[in-house]
Structure formats: structure tokens, C-alpha cells
């Protein structure tokens, strides 16, 4: 038995070098899923043999967390205790924990990463974070978070990948492979339909089957297919059941339908019925115990698996076999990743921090979105550079998202420092600028933004003083730009037409302001495109009525603590599949800035679109070829977006859906031939009658453009 196991292991043993990403000349991306160093079948057998030695009590200790962020270890079985750490945009340092990290790079937030539309960069971004996990003894990263951007007010949007399931999927699959290629387990979270943080423990997301499949699952499916070994369930209920103890959510959707083979964990304190939890397919309850000082835990009572599972087995309500299955899933993931055979920590990765800083900077450069640039006021002319004035919110302090995803970084560069490094020491910061100062400046940079956080949602409107500052500067000096640092859409409607330039800079991480300075000076030509639609007013957006009458936004964690006193309330996803641009287009509501939009300092021309075949059958795909030329005077990158539009469908469908894209770099005057591929399932929709994907016969338009509202060329295909 032992010998055959070793043989088998030898056969399926792989190295982490399976992280191989290549970009073809035209920017197309070749993706390969992650393969565990020890194959799952072998890991399964090894888990079985360890399990056979353990007592029931020992096994139960493994289905709950310990010391807030650890799993249970047993020296006698050679099972280490593993440390889990947040989150998607870098390693969150917890100084109070034993093996806490010393230092970690603060990367631009995942929404900024998505604005790069560069999946290969998502891979490198995650690989860098994975290496910092290895340097700091983190076995499991509690990210990526990939909840769909449904409402701009969600305090956690910055942690996620935007509104479009296809774009989320392409970024996430690369994230997973990049992260796991370092030997760090990645966690897809929060499963499922956790699209607001407004009293997040008391919400019931009421979602139809089609929206679940077309909008909310694809990112998770891509992560599972890419080989993610861990999934975290969410705080909310999905159609009346807490996600973390829902058979439908875990057993049916995640395990059966998506075929997930790793382990599932709960979000921190989010399940209430131990029997249901065990039967739902859940594997690990985190953090495993309560903090008796917190009122919420007193109200929840003692429902932990660690303290209830043995009783439930004794009473015959759950079986030991069910406990075994949970423990086995957990062990299988760790064994498959090689974590029972090597130390988690590898300090040699500390030497790679300088490389990580470069990846962070490159992400910030490519993620910045230029929204407005009247009369090409940007990049700054020599005259404009002479005496720059900087005013507003995030000049001397770094804008960042807060909560478990917060990463403080090191060697942080503030906006004022970055601008001085780029334009010289004469750049002036004025906390309360006088009219004279504003008028006298050769150029004014106005910083506005929000401080988004886990635990609560924030208003779509910017603070009144920020709006007033923008209007005041715009009135007095027409040489100005508004820089927005935020984790989602904010209201710019009132001053949008009064200002000549707007840069959306998200949360840019520890060196994001260097990228901003480069964009202002023209060293970097902006190429980011919005991964979200930004509405004119919040009421225009699909989930605008998600806060029940009589309730209102709050800030601070008390919203979480008082939560048990608030009855569970429904959030009706009545827009169904019409989320993001699917909503605005079908309702003919014009957003202020549409999905996929972003300006450049150069211009691009699309021509010669050619579809490989005018007719295909239901199982075939097509390729779309076109020429892209840089017709301007500056080198730059364009994100070409291909949308599919079904004509005469038998069911309601979005006006169009993103199904392919490529980011292409071109020198001035240069032309490249670009090929995009569409697979048969890129034409499909989720059919609620057959509970499956359906490709309809009929005619489809293939719409190629530089933004969802700017189609440059189109082709046709008929499915017979
Ligand atoms: C968050 C998770 C996070 C966990 C552990 C929860 O409050 O929702 O995203 O991973 O805490 O920090």
C-alpha cells in the first residue's frame, strides 16, 4: 500500500512552475489551470489513512478554527496548525497573532487591478502576494473576494472585481493560478450573493436561478476551474437560508454543479445551526469560537461546531461519517498543496519584495482610468508644471480600503511626495487654499474620494466639502484635474461638466501616487478602463432600493454588533440578470461613465473586422479578427472589447454581453492584427426550464469597441 502510494505520488508530483502565463503578440492570453503538486486522489488516500487513526474528538477539533485564524494541528499525526490571513490586495498584518507578518506590500485594490483588463498582470499580482504569504508563514490567503458590483454604495466593492461576470472570471482564474503557484492556498469568497455590507449579517439575498448562474456564479466557477483549493461562504442568506449552512449553496451549487474539490470554510461567525451546517457541505467553521465580551455572541448563543458536534453525533442527528467527510476535505487540500510535507514559511521570498513593489506600481499605472480630458489638458504642459497647487482629501495621507482587507504597506508614497518627485519641490499643498492661491497656480490637482470599509456601506455622494472644493477650484482656475480615490462609483454628476479633467485612481496601494504623477506628466499613458458603470444618480442603478424603508446607512462596527436585534430583511435582486451595463442598456438609462470606458493620450483606429465563419452550429465557436492602429503621437495600450448580442431571442437577454477582450500595446503609427476567440458557450444563456445552459439558433451581432457604449466595428454570425 505504502509503496504504491509513493509510486503514484511520484507520477503525479508536480512543481509550482505550472504557473506559466504567456501573452501572444496581440495581447491574447493563454491560460492553464493550476495543478496541485500532489494530485487529489493521492491526497485523498493519505487523508483517509490519517483519519483512520483519529478519535472522534480529535476529528471534531479540526472542523472549527482555533485562536481566531488557525486550524488545529496534531504533532502525533504530523498535521501542522495553519495560519490563514486576509486578503485579496496583500497580506493583512495582525500584530496580535503569534506568527504575524512583519511587513507586506500594499497593492492597488482588486477593483483597480480589474481596471487594467490585464489578466496576466492579475496573475503576477497574486503571485507576488502569494510569495509574501510564504515569507510570512501564511498557509491560506483569505482571498480573492469576487462578489459582483451590484450597488456602488457597497463598502467592500474595492475588494472585488467589478460588475461583469466575464471580466471577473478572466481576472480571477489568473489570480488563483498566480497565488497557488507559490504554494499558498487561495480562498474564493464570499459565496454567494453578498453584494452589500449594510447589516451584512441580517440580509437575505432573494435571487432568481438565472441571475445566480449568469451573474453571480461565473467568477466562482472560473476560480474553481482554475484549481482554487478553498472557498469561504458569506454572511447573508441566499433565498432564505444562511449561505454557510445552506445545502443548496454548498452541496448543490458549489460542490455538485461547480465540481469544487477543495475545502469550504464559513465567514467569521456566520452559521447558527450546527446540525444544518454539518449537513450542508460546510467543512470548517471559522473562527471556531466566540468572544464572550461581544453582545452579538451572547445573542447567538453557543452554536459552534467545536462544542456541539460530539453531542449531535451522540444524539444520532449527524453521523461520524459526515464529520469524517469534512475533515477529509480539509486535509486533502493541505496535503495536495504539499503542506504536510514542507514548512509553510520560506524566508527567501523576503528578497522578492522589490519585485512586488514593481508589480504594485505597474498595476497602479495600468489601472488608473482617465475619464475626462477636455482640450487635452493632460498631460501637463511645461507651463502648467510651473507652480502646481494640490488641494483636497488624500494629499498627505494614503487613501485605502479598510477592514480585514486593509494593508498598510511600507515606504508609502503620498500624493504630495509623488508629485514633488515628478515635478520638483515647488509643488505646493494647501490645506485650506485661498482664492488667490487657486488663481495664481499654473495647475491645480484636487483630491477627492471615500474611505470605504468592510462592515458598512457608504453614500454614493461625496462629502459636501469635497464637492464644494471641486466647484470652487473649477470656477477660479480652468487648469485643473480632479483625482478620485475610491473603491467604487461616486457621484460626479454635479461638477462633471464644469471640470476639464477627471482621473479615477481607486485605492492605488503604497506607490499608486507615483503612477498618478506619471500619468499627469505623461510618462505613463493611461490605459485603464472602468470595470463598473458609474451612474448619474444612485436611483438610476439596479439595486438602488436595497435599503429597507426606515433604515439608513451607518458607519462603524456597531452595525455588526447590534445586528442580531434587527430582523432579517430581504434584498430583492429583482433586476435579475440585468446588473451593471446590462441594466443601464436595457432600461435605456445613460450612466455618467459606462462600463469599459477610459481615455488615452493617443487614438486608436479599428478596421478590417472579419468573422471566421458566417454560420456555425451550436457547439462551435468563431474567431473575430481585426486591425488595430495607433493613430496618435504617443505609444499606448488599448483594451479592445468584444460583446455578443443575440437578435430575436426567445427569452429576455441583455442588449449585449462582454465575451472577449484583449489589451494591445502599440507604438505611434503601428498596426497589429488582433484575433479574439468566442466559444460556443459565449452565446448561451441559463435556461430555467431545463436548468442548464442553452445556445439558441439564430442571428448574433458581434460588437467590437473601445467601451460598452463605443462600438467601432461589428460582424455577424448565424447559429444553425
Ligand atoms: C470578512 C472576511 C474575512 C474574515 C476574516 C470577515 O469579517 O467578511 O472577508 O476573511 O472576516 O478576517
Amino acid at each position: 500500500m505504502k509503496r504504491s502510494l509513493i509510486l503514484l505520488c511520484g507520477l503525479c508530483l508536480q512543481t509550482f512552475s505550472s504557473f506559466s502565463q504567456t501573452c501572444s503578440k496581440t495581447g491574447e492570453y493563454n491560460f492553464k489551470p493550476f495543478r496541485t503538486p500532489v494530485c487529489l486522489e493521492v491526497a485523498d488516500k493519505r487523508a483517509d489513512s490519517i483519519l483512520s487513526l483519529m478519535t472522534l474528538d480529535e476529528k471534531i477539533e479540526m472542523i472549527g478554527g482555533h485562536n481566531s485564524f488557525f486550524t488545529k494541528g496534531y504533532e502525533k499525526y504530523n498535521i501542522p496548525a495553519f495560519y490563514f490571513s486576509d486578503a485579496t490586495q496583500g497580506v493583512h498584518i495582525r500584530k496580535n497573532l503569534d506568527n504575524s507578518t512583519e511587513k507586506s506590500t500594499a497593492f492597488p485594490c482588486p477593483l483597480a487591478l480589474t481596471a487594467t483588463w490585464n489578466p496576466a498582470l492579475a496573475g503576477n499580482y497574486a503571485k507576488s502576494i502569494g510569495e509574501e504569504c510564504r515569507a510570512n508563514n501564511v498557509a491560506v490567503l483569505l482571498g480573492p473576494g469576487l462578489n459582483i458590483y451590484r450597488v456602488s454604495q457597497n463598502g467592500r466593492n474595492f475588494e472585488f472585481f467589478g460588475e461583469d461576470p466575464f471580466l471577473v472570471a478572466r481576472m480571477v482564474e489568473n489570480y488563483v493560478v498566480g497565488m497557488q503557484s507559490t504554494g499558498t492556498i487561495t480562498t474564493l469568497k464570499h459565496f454567494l450573493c453578498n453584494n452589500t455590507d449594510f447589516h451584512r449579517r441580517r440580509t437575505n439575498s432573494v435571487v432568481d436561478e438565472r441571475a445566480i448562474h449568469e451573474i453571480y456564479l461565473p467568477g466562482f466557477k472560473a476560480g474553481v476551474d482554475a484549481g482554487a483549493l478553498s472557498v469561504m461562504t458569506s454572511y447573508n442568506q441566499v433565498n432564505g437560508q444562511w449561505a454557510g449552512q445552506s445545502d443548496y449553496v454548498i452541496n448543490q451549487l458549489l460542490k455538485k454543479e461547480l465540481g469544487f474539490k477543495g475545502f469550504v470554510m464559513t465567514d467569521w461567525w456566520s452559521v447558527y445551526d450546527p446540525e444544518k451546517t454539518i449537513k450542508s457541505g460546510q467543512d470548517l467553521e471559522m473562527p471556531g469560537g466566540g468572544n464572550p465580551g461581544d453582545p452579538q455572541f451572547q445573542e447567538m448563543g453557543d452554536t459552534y461546531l467545536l462544542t456541539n458536534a460530539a453531542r449531535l453525533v451522540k444524539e444520532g442527528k449527524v453521523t461520524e461519517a459526515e464529520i469524517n467527510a469534512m475533515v477529509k476535505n480539509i486535509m486533502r487540500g493541505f496535503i495536495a498543496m504539499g503542506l504536510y510535507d514542507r514548512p509553510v514559511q520560506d524566508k527567501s521570498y523576503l528578497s522578492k519584495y522589490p519585485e512586488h513593489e514593481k508589480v504594485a506600481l505597474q498595476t497602479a499605472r495600468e489601472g488608473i482610468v482617465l475619464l475626462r480630458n477636455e482640450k487635452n489638458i493632460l498631460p501637463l504642459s511645461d507651463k502648467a508644471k510651473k507652480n502646481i497647487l494640490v488641494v483636497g482629501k488624500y494629499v498627505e495621507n494614503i487613501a485605502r480600503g479598510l477592514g480585514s482587507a486593509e494593508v498598510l504597506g511600507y515606504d508609502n508614497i503620498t500624493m504630495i511626495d509623488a508629485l514633488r518627485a515628478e515635478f520638483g519641490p515647488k509643488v505646493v499643498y494647501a490645506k485650506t487654499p485661498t482664492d488667490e492661491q487657486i488663481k495664481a497656480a499654473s495647475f491645480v490637482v484636487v483630491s477627492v474620494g471615500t474611505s470605504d470599509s468592510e462592515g458598512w456601506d457608504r453614500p454614493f455622494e461625496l462629502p459636501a466639502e469635497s464637492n464644494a472644493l471641486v466647484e470652487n477650484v473649477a470656477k477660479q482656475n480652468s487648469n485643473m484635474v480632479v483625482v478620485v480615490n475610491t473603491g467604487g462609483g461616486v457621484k460626479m454628476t454635479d461638477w462633471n461638466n464644469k471640470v476639464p479633467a477627471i482621473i479615477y485612481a481607486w485605492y492605488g496601494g503604497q506607490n499608486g501616487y507615483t503612477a498618478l504623477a506619471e500619468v499627469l506628466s505623461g510618462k505613463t499613458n493611461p490605459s485603464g478602463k472602468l470595470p463598473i458603470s458609474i451612474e448619474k444618480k444612485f436611483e438610476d442603478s439596479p439595486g438602488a432600493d436595497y435599503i429597507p424603508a426606515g433604515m439608513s446607512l451607518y458607519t462603524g462596527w456597531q452595525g455588526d454588533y447590534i445586528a442580531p436585534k434587527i430582523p432579517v430583511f430581504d434584498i430583492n435582486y429583482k433586476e435579475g440578470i440585468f446588473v451593471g451595463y446590462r441594466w443601464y442598456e436595457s432600461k435605456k438609462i445613460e450612466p455618467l461613465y459606462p462600463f469599459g470606458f477610459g481615455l488615452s493620450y493617443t487614438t486608436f483606429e479599428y478596421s478590417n473586422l472579419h468573422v471566421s465563419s458566417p454560420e456555425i452550429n451550436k457547439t462551435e465557436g468563431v474567431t473575430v479578427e481585426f486591425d488595430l492602429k495607433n493613430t496618435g503621437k504617443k505609444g499606448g495600450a488599448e483594451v479592445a472589447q468584444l460583446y455578443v448580442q443575440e437578435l430575436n431571442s426567445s427569452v429576455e437577454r441583455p442588449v449585449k454581453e462582454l465575451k472577449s477582450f484583449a489589451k494591445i500595446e502599440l507604438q505611434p503609427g503601428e498596426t497589429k492584427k488582433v484575433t479574439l476567440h468566442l466559444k460556443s458557450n459565449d452565446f448561451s444563456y441559463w435556461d430555467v426550464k431545463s436548468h442548464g445552459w442553452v445556445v439558441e439558433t439564430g442571428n448574433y451581432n458581434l460588437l467590437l469597441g473601445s467601451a460598452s457604449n463605443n462600438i467601432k466595428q461589428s460582424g455577424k454570425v448565424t447559429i444553425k
Side-chain angles (χ1 to χ4, degrees), residues 199-214:
H199 295 301
R200 57 186 183 170
R201 295 170 192 275
R202 307 309 287 165
T203 57
N204 173 30
S205 302
V206 182
V207 205
D208 66 67
E209 179 188 328
R210 188 169 166 204
I212 285 181
H213 286 85
E214 289 189 25

Side-chain angles (χ1 to χ4, degrees), residues 410-534:
Y410 57 93
D411 296 345
N412 280 279
I413 303 165
T414 61
M415 186 189 290
I416 189 66
D417 287 347
L419 293 180
R420 285 186 180 142
E422 188 70 25
F423 298 105
K426 269 172 57 194
V427 178
V428 169
Y429 166 49
K431 218 177 203 159
T432 44
T434 62
D435 290 356
E436 288 65 43
Q437 271 178 307
I438 295 170
K439 282 194 187 107
S442 59
F443 196 85
V444 189
V445 178
V446 185
S447 160
V448 299
T450 60
S451 179
D452 302 354
S453 178
E454 175 186 344
W456 54 94
D457 286 2
R458 51 90 174 153
F460 179 56
E461 283 78 22
L462 288 167
E465 62 270 22
S466 295
N467 288 326
L469 180 67
V470 171
E471 300 241 7
N472 184 34
V473 172
K475 224 187 278 166
Q476 310 199 56
N477 194 334
S478 56
N479 290 314
M480 55 97 71
V481 61
V482 182
V483 175
V484 189
N485 282 129
T486 184
V490 296
K491 190 171 179 193
M492 298 177 284
T493 320
D494 299 332
W495 44 257
N496 181 68
N497 293 332
K498 300 177 190 166
V499 303
I502 304 174
I503 291 177
Y504 231 65
W506 316 104
Y507 297 132
Q510 66 188 46
N511 49 19
Y513 292 113
T514 300
L516 171 74
E518 290 177 2
V519 166
L520 289 173
S521 74
K523 252 186 214 163
T524 288
N525 186 354
S527 61
K529 302 269 187 173
L530 287 179
I532 56 173
S533 313
I534 303 181

